[in-house]
Amino acid sequence: MLGLLRNPFDTTHTPHSGYHWDGTSRRFFEGWYYRVTLPGEAQSFAFMYSIEDPVGGKPHSGGAAQILAPDDEYLCRTFPNVSKFWANQEELALGHWGKADLDIKPGYLLSADFERYVQQGYQATATLNQGAIFDPGSGKYCRWQYEIQPVYGWGNKGSIQQSTAGWVSFLQIFEPGWQILMAHGLASGWIDWNGKRYEFTNAPAYGEKNWGGAFPQRWFWANCNSFLDQPDLALTAGGGRRGVLWWMESVAMIGLHYQGKFYEFVPWNSQVSWNIQPWGSWQMQAKNSQYEVELLGATDLPGTPLRAPTENGLIFCCRDTLQGRLNLELREIGGNQKRTILKASSSLCGLEIGGGPWNNSWQHD
């Protein structure tokens, strides 16, 4: 198996990196998101892995791998056999074998062995993302293998990393849970997309996950760690309407890593407001006693429908682009004065809306 003993002094390891399923038959899903951005190509790849009702034998039991590729092209492969899925409860490590020439219990393989024996499937850790999927209907395929060097987890560099949803995310109160696993990293390896091979070294990489037995009614998200003239900057922002025990609440957050420092704007330390259009415009502002941040994401592209786990299984219920425009500004507040710390822009922002209804804009002040 992994044979990886995690370094207790590793300050890029984030809470909730391990697998959350408790072995019961309650409705449950867990999903992982790996992204690598190729600035020279002005493109990105996002790999989305999910497992639902891993106890097996349920209407929605099964797993999937989805890929959002350059020019927002899309590929998906489902893996109905939950017994071929594996994950580590102590650290970030998971995989799902589709077609494999191995008669052993699924688990982590050396990269060369995975490539040799697993024709369809994936495996992923904090430092590796590898897999292959093929759609027999269209003939489209993707093969990938790259290593990751984490730079930022979710918190100040060199400090113990934080839960994205705060300490309450350790309790089964807020569902689904959400954790940024790696706000920024450097990826080196290759991706073969339908015969076009992309090779890269130290490309911006990102990872996050969510899990639980309940599903948000609707949500929005923005992510970027490839900015013009700002190599040491990573942004993730998002919000949603989710269940908290027996009521619903709307929450949002903005997180920035910049020059070793973590700027966190969350409901318990900041005022966060937003105005999100059904598609095309994402405006967010946040302010606390020390800092304020403003961001504007936009796109003229149509976006690509993606599947996500829902009460009714894995269905198309969100829309994404990896080629959004983003402008952000971070300011320090001192008395009546404000000092701009950072202005940054990108044309490689990931933007998403999900759930619904999205008949008109969603505003929250």
Side-chain angles (χ1 to χ4, degrees), residues 43-46 48 66-75 140 193-194 198 303-306 320 322-323:
Q43 299 285 2
S44 296
F45 283 89
M48 293 151 277
Q66 302 179 74
I67 301 173
L68 189 58
D71 297 323
D72 291 341
E73 290 192 61
Y74 176 72
L75 184 61
K140 291 183 178 180
W193 175 253
N194 298 313
Y198 297 84
T304 298
L306 300 179
D320 283 60
L322 297 177
Q323 296 180 293

Side-chain angles (χ1 to χ4, degrees), residues 24 45 49 65 87 126 140 175 177 180 184 221 224 236 238 251 253 264 280 290 295 326 334:
T24 66
F45 283 89
Y49 308 132
K140 291 183 178 180
E175 288 205 299
I180 305 337
H184 183 54
W221 172 88
C224 187
T236 302
V251 292
M253 54 74 62
E264 182 187 39
Q290 292 179 282
L295 65 91
L326 178 69

Side-chain angles (χ1 to χ4, degrees), residues 234-251:
L235 162 82
T236 302
R241 186 163 173 78
R242 65 182 181 182
V244 185
L245 299 178
W246 56 87
W247 73 90
M248 298 296 296
E249 71 169 8
S250 295
V251 292

Side-chain angles (χ1 to χ4, degrees), residues 30-269:
E30 197 148 347
W32 298 261
Y33 181 98
Y34 284 71
R35 181 182 178 188
V36 60
T37 303
L38 308 176
E41 303 272 353
Q43 299 285 2
S44 296
F45 283 89
F47 300 86
M48 293 151 277
Y49 308 132
S50 59
I51 188 73
E52 287 189 81
D53 293 341
V55 70
K58 300 286 186 178
H60 305 306
S61 290
Q66 302 179 74
I67 301 173
L68 189 58
D71 297 323
D72 291 341
E73 290 192 61
Y74 176 72
L75 184 61
C76 177
R77 191 70 174 155
T78 57
F79 303 114
N81 189 346
V82 295
S83 70
K84 297 295 185 180
F85 175 84
W86 66 270
N88 190 308
Q89 292 188 315
E90 303 300 323
E91 60 186 332
L92 177 58
L94 65 142
H96 208 151
W97 296 357
K99 184 180 179 184
D101 296 330
L102 285 169
D103 190 21
I104 60 173
K105 184 179 179 181
Y108 179 81
L109 298 173
L110 295 175
S111 293
D113 291 337
F114 183 93
E115 191 166 5
R116 179 178 178 183
Y117 294 113
V118 181
Q119 287 81 45
Q120 291 212 59
Y122 66 86
Q123 62 178 13
T125 71
T127 57
L128 173 76
N129 185 19
Q130 180 178 18
I133 61 173
F134 172 74
D135 178 12
S138 66
K140 291 183 178 180
Y141 75 91
C142 187
R143 300 181 63 85
W144 62 98
Q145 181 182 324
Y146 61 87
E147 295 183 351
I148 308 161
Q149 176 190 340
V151 175
Y152 291 120
W154 192 249
N156 287 312
K157 197 169 181 64
S159 301
I160 298 299
Q161 299 301 285
Q162 301 172 205
S163 294
T164 302
W167 67 268
V168 290
S169 55
F170 286 93
L171 309 174
Q172 213 177 85
I173 295 175
F174 297 138
E175 288 205 299
W178 183 36
Q179 177 71 45
I180 305 337
L181 296 165
M182 185 184 69
H184 183 54
L186 301 173
S188 299
W190 56 268
I191 301 169
D192 178 353
W193 175 253
N194 298 313
K196 182 172 181 179
R197 186 178 173 94
Y198 297 84
E199 296 186 358
F200 46 91
T201 302
N202 292 337
Y206 171 81
E208 68 172 49
K209 70 182 298 187
N210 55 10
W211 70 92
F215 307 88
Q217 288 185 345
R218 62 175 173 168
W219 67 91
F220 56 90
W221 172 88
N223 162 254
C224 187
N225 59 348
S226 180
F227 289 86
L228 292 170
D229 303 320
Q230 294 287 353
D232 191 14
L233 172 62
L235 162 82
T236 302
R241 186 163 173 78
R242 65 182 181 182
V244 185
L245 299 178
W246 56 87
W247 73 90
M248 298 296 296
E249 71 169 8
S250 295
V251 292
M253 54 74 62
I254 299 172
L256 278 172
H257 291 80
Y258 179 57
Q259 296 184 345
K261 185 178 173 75
F262 180 46
Y263 299 87
E264 182 187 39
F265 301 86
V266 287
W268 54 90
N269 72 14

